[in-house]
Structure formats: structure tokens, C-alpha cells
Amino acid sequence: MIKVTAVHPGSIAAELGLQAGTELLSVNGRELEDFLDWEFLTAEEQIILHVRQPHGEEIEYDIERPLSEPIGVSLEPARIRRCANRCDFCFVDGLPDGLRDVLYIRDDDYRLSFRYGNFATLTNLKPHDVDRVIEYRLSPLYVSVHATDPVVRRYLLRNPTAPEILPQLRTFADHGIEFHTQVVMSPGVNDGPVLRQTLTDLYDFGPAILGCSVVPVGLTEYSKHHLVREPTAEECRAAIRLIEERSAVALAERHRHWAYGADELYLRAGVELPSAEIYDDFDQIENGVGSVRWLQQRIAGQAEAMAGWAGRRIGVVTGTAMGQLMPMVLEPLRRMTGAEFELIPLVNPLFGASVTTAGLLPGRAFAEALAARRDLDLALLPGETINEDGLFIDSMSFESLTAQVPIEVRLSQDFADALGTAAAA
Ligand code: SF4
């Protein structure tokens, strides 16, 4: 059963009399479990929909409509699948106390892997889930492999019953499912020869594995430092060599680079970022893989869209990791727009200086940094710092931030989105 949270005006659902609180019970006799069932089972021109209205009446509707016309309901959020692992590097362990409850949930959900590109380990799949992945052809999936050696993987996941990943992937691949994979690299555990073997195994698996990224493990002040540490510059350089080795083979054989290092890996290694071509289709951009090259590509050719900023002063507020790379983006932006860009990298006051990613900066860090910046015409904040409810990680709302600072503030993913409209004169 799935509950309706809203009915879109003028939609089929509104016409039928569905309302917030209506329970969607089944489609064509198939019980509904979550949004996946709803989306896949209603993807037919004619369906029988069985519902229970808020006052208890059960009704069956025979609906016929063109597929282009959505039924028009918003659904309650799916109950998130909890993680069956206890990785030493888990971000949840690295959170300070006092944040929103939802942030402490260890989620590991193949449905969100398919829908949003969240990485899942697939260690909590039940036979029913396997059937659904195959039946609905949930592809591509984003999978945290970490190591193909089952002993190393179980150690990393702190899950002695984690199923072997390669046979698991094979079951899906045999039904046409493809994968983007990642290795979170924990030095002394899954780097070096283990990483080489993992990349080889995943590549040899065949074309169903579309690529593999290597991301250095990231810790906060609160993480389990007695159990896990961040890689040194030399360890990151060694990983980059393995990635390049594998990538050279892949390029020659499959015409894809296939193996990628996260931007953070290059930063820590003190090695210049590779050029944009190595990221293939930027499939793992959300994983911090190729973010800077992607940004450079996005702004190239957008000069016209970003007209009207000549002579303006724009503050670009970000984390210390992007702070090191951002000049590579701001210089071409300056040339294109004629605006003056000031980079404002912030140390994370909530997690400590070791957490350098922009997305985890709390609202109060932005508020403090911009409180006295009347000299700026505009401040740009990374779009990923707020969630869909408009909240920063410390629960400050974006509205509250804008009320606290004396200048206009815009969220931006790629500059063109925020600079497409000129600032107020
Ligand atoms: S898989 Fe590991 S890192 Fe991810 S939520 Fe579970 S315990 Fe945390």
C-alpha cells in the first residue's frame, strides 16, 4: 500500500476523486509496495486501480489514458532500506550529535541507486528485491564494490555475511542490468594489490560494468580514527597509477576510459586533474568524479546566457577542496562575463577542517562568512549544500540565511544556472 500525499489539480486522479490520504492498494491485481511498483505497473494505457479512500471505502477504477498523461498523484516517501553493514569509514559515525534524525540513518537502498544514483552495496537484498531489479530492469545501478575479494570486502563492510559481489552482479548482468561501480579506498586494506585485482576483476567481468571510480576514504573529526585513516599523497599517487594502467587497457579495447579517480584523489595526491575526455560521459559526477572538468565544459559557450555581469563583484563560497580547484573555473568565467570573482573557501566548523567538501558546509558557516560583505554584488553557494526542503546540514534554511546577509545570495550547480539572470541594479 502507498499513501497519496497530494493530488495534482486537473489530473486524472483529481477527476477520480482521489485525495491526500487515499491508499493505493493494487494495480491490475498486483499489490503496491512503493514508488517503483507504482511507476512500473501504471506504465500501461489501461489499468485497474484499487484504492481505499480516507473514510475507508474501497473502490476499483478502470482507467484508460494515453501514457503521456500522468495519473497525477504525489506519493509518501518510500521507507528507506537500512544498511546491513558497519563500515569503519561510515559517514554516519563521523557525524556530530544534534543534527536532524534522518541524517543518522544508514541507508543502502537499491531503489535509490536506480532512481538517484546513490551507491548501494547490495548486501541487504532479499530474493524479492532481486526479482524486482530483474523484472523492472533497474539499470544502471550504482554499486559500492570496494573490493572483489570477498574476505577484504566483508572486512571493509564489517559484515561477515555479505554475499560475494561478483556472482551477485552476474545474476543481474545476465538479465541485462548494467552497473557503475566505486571503490572507497581505505589505505592498507583495499589499495595496492587489492585495488589492482578489484579493477581487473570488474573490468574482466565484461561490458555490463560501465566503469569504476576510486574515491579516497573521507573522515571527519568524529570518525573511528583508531580503525581507519585517510590515504597519504603517495598512496593516492599509487592508486592513480593503477587507474591509469587499467584505463589504458580499457581505452584500447573498449574505447572508454572506464577507470576514474575522484577529484579528491588527485587533490590529495598533488597531481594535476586529468582532461575532460577521461571521464567518458561524466557518469559519476555526483560522486565527485570529474566535477571541475564538468564545470569547465558547462560554462564554455554560455557567455551569452551570462551577460550583464561586467564590472560586478561576485563571491564564490565553497569548501576548501573545491577552493583549490575553483581558480581553474573562475578565470574563464571572468574572461567570459567581465565580472570580478572572489573565491571564499570555508573551513567546515561543524565537522572539522578535514571535511573539505562543499556539500557538507553548514548554513551558519555561510552566514558568518557573508555577514559583513556589503562590498559584493552577489554571493554564489554550491547548490548541493541544501536538501529538497531547502535546509543546510545544520537545519538552517536557505531563507533564513538570505535574511541574515546583506547581499543577494544564489545557489548554483554550474554558474550558468545562477548567472543567467542579472543582479538587481
Ligand atoms: S555501507 Fe557502510 S558507509 Fe554505507 S551506510 Fe552502510 S555502514 Fe555506512
Side-chain angles (χ1 to χ4, degrees), residues 369-371 406 417:
L370 297 173
D417 55 357

Side-chain angles (χ1 to χ4, degrees), residues 83-93 105-108 119 121 123 144 146 156-157:
C83 174
N85 314 310
R86 278 294 177 274
C87 309
D88 293 336
F89 52 80
C90 184
F91 179 71
V92 171
D93 291 325
I105 297 174
R106 290 172 213 261
D107 64 296
D108 192 5
F119 278 88
T121 66
T123 53
S144 285
H146 302 331
L156 279 161
L157 298 174

Side-chain angles (χ1 to χ4, degrees), residues 361-403:
L361 284 167
R364 74 174 154 94
F366 294 111
E368 283 164 15
L370 297 173
R373 296 306 307 266
R374 287 195 164 74
D375 55 317
L376 296 172
D377 294 304
L378 172 71
L380 297 181
L381 271 51
E384 68 272 22
T385 47
I386 62 158
N387 68 5
E388 57 209 21
D389 299 321
L391 299 176
F392 293 96
I393 194 151
D394 59 353
S395 293
M396 178 189 277
S397 69
F398 184 67
E399 282 71 31
S400 164
L401 170 72
T402 54

